[in-house]
Short mmCIF file of all heavy atoms in Angstrom, two decimals:
data_model
loop_
_atom_site.label_atom_id
_atom_site.label_comp_id
_atom_site.label_asym_id
_atom_site.label_seq_id
_atom_site.Cartn_x
_atom_site.Cartn_y
_atom_site.Cartn_z
N CYS A 346 -6.55 7.89 -7.71
CA CYS A 346 -7.51 8.89 -7.23
C CYS A 346 -8.94 8.35 -7.27
O CYS A 346 -9.63 8.44 -8.30
CB CYS A 346 -7.42 10.16 -8.09
SG CYS A 346 -5.76 10.87 -8.18
N GLU A 349 -13.11 10.73 -2.35
CA GLU A 349 -13.51 12.13 -2.44
C GLU A 349 -13.91 12.64 -1.06
O GLU A 349 -14.14 11.83 -0.14
CB GLU A 349 -14.69 12.28 -3.41
CG GLU A 349 -14.33 11.90 -4.84
CD GLU A 349 -15.45 12.14 -5.83
OE1 GLU A 349 -16.52 12.63 -5.42
OE2 GLU A 349 -15.26 11.82 -7.01
N LEU A 359 -19.18 8.50 -5.75
CA LEU A 359 -18.29 9.61 -6.10
C LEU A 359 -19.00 10.60 -7.03
O LEU A 359 -19.85 10.23 -7.85
CB LEU A 359 -16.99 9.11 -6.72
CG LEU A 359 -17.02 8.33 -8.04
CD1 LEU A 359 -16.98 9.26 -9.23
CD2 LEU A 359 -15.85 7.37 -8.10
N ALA A 360 -18.62 11.88 -6.90
CA ALA A 360 -19.31 12.96 -7.60
C ALA A 360 -18.47 13.61 -8.70
O ALA A 360 -19.01 14.38 -9.50
CB ALA A 360 -19.74 14.03 -6.60
N THR A 361 -17.17 13.35 -8.74
CA THR A 361 -16.34 13.89 -9.82
C THR A 361 -16.93 13.45 -11.14
O THR A 361 -17.24 12.27 -11.35
CB THR A 361 -14.90 13.41 -9.68
OG1 THR A 361 -14.35 13.91 -8.47
CG2 THR A 361 -14.05 13.87 -10.85
N ARG A 362 -17.10 14.40 -12.05
CA ARG A 362 -17.81 14.12 -13.30
C ARG A 362 -16.93 14.40 -14.51
O ARG A 362 -16.14 15.34 -14.52
CB ARG A 362 -19.09 14.96 -13.38
CG ARG A 362 -19.94 14.69 -14.62
CD ARG A 362 -21.36 15.16 -14.46
NE ARG A 362 -22.11 14.34 -13.51
CZ ARG A 362 -22.66 13.17 -13.82
NH1 ARG A 362 -22.55 12.68 -15.05
NH2 ARG A 362 -23.33 12.49 -12.92
N ALA A 363 -17.09 13.55 -15.51
CA ALA A 363 -16.44 13.73 -16.81
C ALA A 363 -17.53 13.82 -17.87
O ALA A 363 -18.32 12.88 -18.04
CB ALA A 363 -15.51 12.56 -17.10
N LEU A 372 -13.39 17.29 -17.06
CA LEU A 372 -13.50 16.73 -15.72
C LEU A 372 -13.58 17.84 -14.68
O LEU A 372 -12.82 18.82 -14.74
CB LEU A 372 -12.29 15.85 -15.39
CG LEU A 372 -12.34 14.39 -15.85
CD1 LEU A 372 -12.38 14.29 -17.37
CD2 LEU A 372 -11.18 13.58 -15.29
N ASN A 373 -14.50 17.66 -13.74
CA ASN A 373 -14.64 18.57 -12.61
C ASN A 373 -14.88 17.76 -11.34
O ASN A 373 -15.71 16.83 -11.35
CB ASN A 373 -15.79 19.54 -12.83
CG ASN A 373 -15.43 20.67 -13.77
OD1 ASN A 373 -14.77 21.65 -13.39
ND2 ASN A 373 -15.85 20.54 -15.03
N LYS A 376 -10.64 15.13 -5.47
CA LYS A 376 -10.25 13.86 -4.86
C LYS A 376 -9.52 14.15 -3.54
O LYS A 376 -8.77 15.12 -3.43
CB LYS A 376 -9.35 13.07 -5.81
CG LYS A 376 -10.04 12.65 -7.10
CD LYS A 376 -11.19 11.70 -6.84
CE LYS A 376 -11.88 11.26 -8.13
NZ LYS A 376 -12.96 10.30 -7.85
N VAL A 390 -7.72 8.74 -12.36
CA VAL A 390 -8.87 9.40 -11.75
C VAL A 390 -10.15 8.67 -12.11
O VAL A 390 -10.43 8.41 -13.29
CB VAL A 390 -8.97 10.87 -12.21
CG1 VAL A 390 -10.24 11.52 -11.69
CG2 VAL A 390 -7.74 11.65 -11.75
N MET A 391 -10.94 8.33 -11.09
CA MET A 391 -12.26 7.76 -11.31
C MET A 391 -13.28 8.91 -11.35
O MET A 391 -13.34 9.72 -10.43
CB MET A 391 -12.62 6.79 -10.19
CG MET A 391 -11.61 5.68 -9.97
SD MET A 391 -11.30 4.68 -11.43
CE MET A 391 -9.66 4.04 -11.03
N ALA A 392 -14.06 8.97 -12.42
CA ALA A 392 -15.03 10.05 -12.60
C ALA A 392 -16.31 9.50 -13.18
O ALA A 392 -16.31 8.49 -13.90
CB ALA A 392 -14.45 11.15 -13.51
N ARG A 393 -17.40 10.19 -12.90
CA ARG A 393 -18.71 9.73 -13.34
C ARG A 393 -19.00 10.22 -14.75
O ARG A 393 -19.01 11.42 -15.02
CB ARG A 393 -19.78 10.23 -12.36
CG ARG A 393 -21.16 9.62 -12.60
CD ARG A 393 -22.08 9.85 -11.43
NE ARG A 393 -21.57 9.26 -10.19
CZ ARG A 393 -21.57 7.95 -9.94
NH1 ARG A 393 -22.08 7.10 -10.82
NH2 ARG A 393 -21.09 7.50 -8.80
N THR A 394 -19.22 9.26 -15.65
CA THR A 394 -19.61 9.58 -17.03
C THR A 394 -21.08 9.24 -17.29
O THR A 394 -21.63 9.63 -18.32
CB THR A 394 -18.74 8.80 -18.03
OG1 THR A 394 -18.75 7.40 -17.68
CG2 THR A 394 -17.31 9.31 -18.01
N GLY A 395 -21.69 8.50 -16.35
CA GLY A 395 -23.08 8.08 -16.53
C GLY A 395 -23.90 8.37 -15.30
O GLY A 395 -23.63 9.31 -14.54
N GLY A 401 -21.87 3.89 -13.55
CA GLY A 401 -21.68 5.17 -14.21
C GLY A 401 -20.29 5.74 -14.09
O GLY A 401 -20.06 6.90 -14.46
N VAL A 402 -19.32 4.94 -13.60
CA VAL A 402 -17.98 5.43 -13.33
C VAL A 402 -17.01 4.97 -14.40
O VAL A 402 -17.05 3.81 -14.85
CB VAL A 402 -17.50 4.95 -11.95
CG1 VAL A 402 -16.06 5.39 -11.68
CG2 VAL A 402 -18.43 5.46 -10.85
N SER A 403 -16.14 5.88 -14.83
CA SER A 403 -15.09 5.57 -15.79
C SER A 403 -13.74 5.98 -15.21
O SER A 403 -13.67 6.74 -14.23
CB SER A 403 -15.33 6.28 -17.13
OG SER A 403 -16.57 5.88 -17.69
N ALA A 404 -12.66 5.49 -15.81
CA ALA A 404 -11.31 5.77 -15.34
C ALA A 404 -10.56 6.59 -16.39
O ALA A 404 -10.65 6.31 -17.59
CB ALA A 404 -10.57 4.47 -15.04
N PHE A 405 -9.78 7.57 -15.91
CA PHE A 405 -9.06 8.46 -16.80
C PHE A 405 -7.61 8.61 -16.37
O PHE A 405 -7.31 8.64 -15.17
CB PHE A 405 -9.73 9.85 -16.82
CG PHE A 405 -11.10 9.84 -17.40
CD1 PHE A 405 -12.22 9.63 -16.59
CD2 PHE A 405 -11.31 10.04 -18.76
CE1 PHE A 405 -13.49 9.61 -17.12
CE2 PHE A 405 -12.59 10.02 -19.30
CZ PHE A 405 -13.68 9.80 -18.48
N GLY A 450 -17.75 3.44 -18.35
CA GLY A 450 -18.66 2.73 -17.46
C GLY A 450 -18.04 1.55 -16.74
O GLY A 450 -18.71 0.90 -15.92
N GLY A 452 -15.01 1.86 -15.03
CA GLY A 452 -14.00 2.36 -14.12
C GLY A 452 -14.09 1.81 -12.71
O GLY A 452 -13.06 1.52 -12.08
#
Side-chain angles (χ1 to χ4, degrees):
C346 305
E349 296 184 1
L359 63 87
T361 297
R362 182 161 289 279
L372 275 64
N373 282 280
K376 296 297 181 178
V390 174
M391 305 303 157
R393 190 165 300 286
T394 52
V402 177
S403 300
F405 295 89

